[in-house]
Amino acid sequence: MIDPQGLWILGRVAIDTALMLLWGCTGFLSTVTPPALRPVLARRVAGISALCTMMLAAGVVAIVPAQIAVVTADWHATVDPQTLWSFLMLTSGGRVWDVLAGGSLLLGLVRWLQPRRHALVTVLAGCCLASLSLTGHAAMTTGLVGALHAGVDIVHVLSAGAWLGGLVAFVFVMAATHDVAQRPHALVALSRFSTLGHVAVALAIFSGVANILLVLGHLPTNLQSPYQTKLLVKIGLVVIMTLAAIVNRYVFVPLLRRRRRFAETALLAGAAFELLLGGLVIALVAAFGTMDPS
């Protein structure tokens, strides 16, 4: 029998990864890419966005029955109409997944029927990503503190998504610099990416620290707590990602003028390394996102 908790984690990883890549990658394409470069990048992003919409659909389909099976400890409850209706309509978690499912359906329709509407895909992906902040620990507090926590959580997921998804777009823009006709436009896009990248990384870090304080009330120092141990691992991975981003920007980018081939290879390897670590962070958050933080 499939472990429902494991299926829930896999579904959440698929949803978070898909939405972050769509939000960051198509957002980069629709906002900071020069118009002359957009058709070139759109063709390269098309495969990523198609894969992401399929991952999103699979995650949404998997996570609702998994959630019901976790709560009831019975897979048979997932096919009981009354239990399914009660979960989707009468619980806060169920209503959040209703919103996510509707948003994901609309996002998929826009992606497949209007593939050039990158700005609309970005907005829908951002809204779906923000809705995930209404689950987990942010949903466990109410009143002003609860609203603050939800707001901080939304900033955190959107900035983290801009960071990770933007890295995918960065790789495509780097490839465009090899085309003599597109190189000037690609350099403009890279300059804008650098500016927005600084903002995204800073917001992700500061909102992450605020999130920790809102959930725990202190820094995670209890190694006997599974939640805090996993949180410390996440923090370590984010620190390494940040250091990699700093090295890329302030060591390898200046080298482009003197040792272009080496610098480009190093930048692409650095971006791939950050994406790998980002995937591990997403998996960790899915694993401990609903755990008792004490």
Side-chain angles (χ1 to χ4, degrees):
M1 183 65 69
I2 299 174
D3 174 28
Q5 186 67 39
L7 181 61
W8 188 93
I9 291 172
L10 286 176
R12 185 61 191 260
V13 169
I15 290 169
D16 290 359
T17 301
L19 289 176
M20 284 187 171
L21 292 182
L22 282 171
W23 160 253
C25 196
T26 61
F28 184 94
L29 174 62
S30 60
T31 57
V32 304
T33 304
L37 187 60
R38 287 177 189 171
V40 175
L41 290 190
R43 289 193 293 271
R44 294 175 177 170
V45 169
I48 294 292
S49 62
L51 176 62
C52 286
T53 54
M54 289 186 285
M55 286 175 57
L56 181 60
V60 171
V61 169
I63 208 165
V64 171
Q67 179 79 39
I68 294 173
V70 168
V71 173
T72 62
D74 182 10
W75 272 111
H76 296 292
T78 63
V79 293
D80 176 55
Q82 184 174 355
T83 302
L84 187 60
W85 175 265
S86 298
F87 172 75
L88 292 175
M89 299 299 169
L90 303 180
T91 67
S92 58
R95 287 191 290 268
V96 169
W97 293 118
D98 292 341
V99 172
L100 178 62
S104 299
L105 177 60
L106 184 57
L107 176 58
L109 290 173
V110 171
R111 162 60 187 83
W112 291 101
L113 300 180
Q114 299 286 333
R116 296 182 181 180
R117 301 291 295 273
H118 301 292
L120 183 55
V121 169
T122 301
V123 171
L124 290 172
C127 290
C128 290
L129 193 56
S131 73
L132 295 176
S133 299
L134 302 177
T135 63
H137 297 110
M140 297 178 185
T141 50
T142 57
L144 184 60
V145 175
L148 175 63
H149 196 171
V152 169
D153 216 18
I154 288 172
V155 171
H156 187 60
V157 295
L158 291 180
S159 55
W163 183 357
L164 290 179
L167 283 170
V168 176
F170 169 80
V171 171
F172 292 140
V173 174
M174 284 294 296
T177 61
H178 298 151
D179 185 330
V180 175
Q182 299 297 338
R183 182 174 173 79
H185 307 300
L187 292 176
V188 171
L190 289 174
S191 176
R192 294 173 180 174
F193 172 84
S194 177
T195 300
L196 290 181
H198 281 74
V199 174
V201 172
L203 284 175
I205 291 173
F206 287 123
S207 60
V209 172
N211 243 333
I212 292 171
L213 296 177
L214 284 167
V215 172
L216 294 176
H218 55 79
L219 296 178
T221 55
N222 181 11
L223 297 181
Q224 303 301 315
S225 165
Y227 174 89
Q228 294 186 41
T229 302
K230 288 184 174 65
L231 180 57
L232 283 170
V233 174
K234 176 199 171 185
I235 292 171
L237 291 173
V238 172
V239 169
I240 296 173
M241 287 178 64
T242 305
L243 291 175
I246 291 171
V247 170
N248 268 359
R249 174 60 184 85
Y250 294 103
V251 176
F252 295 129
V253 168
L255 276 179
L256 284 170
R257 297 187 181 91
R258 302 191 304 275
R259 301 177 61 187
R260 178 181 166 187
R261 188 177 297 276
F262 169 78
E264 286 180 350
T265 301
L267 285 169
L268 291 174
F273 180 61
E274 287 182 62
L275 284 167
L276 174 63
L277 294 182
L280 293 176
V281 169
I282 291 173
L284 265 175
V285 172
F288 72 73
T290 58
M291 293 174 63
D292 181 0
S294 60

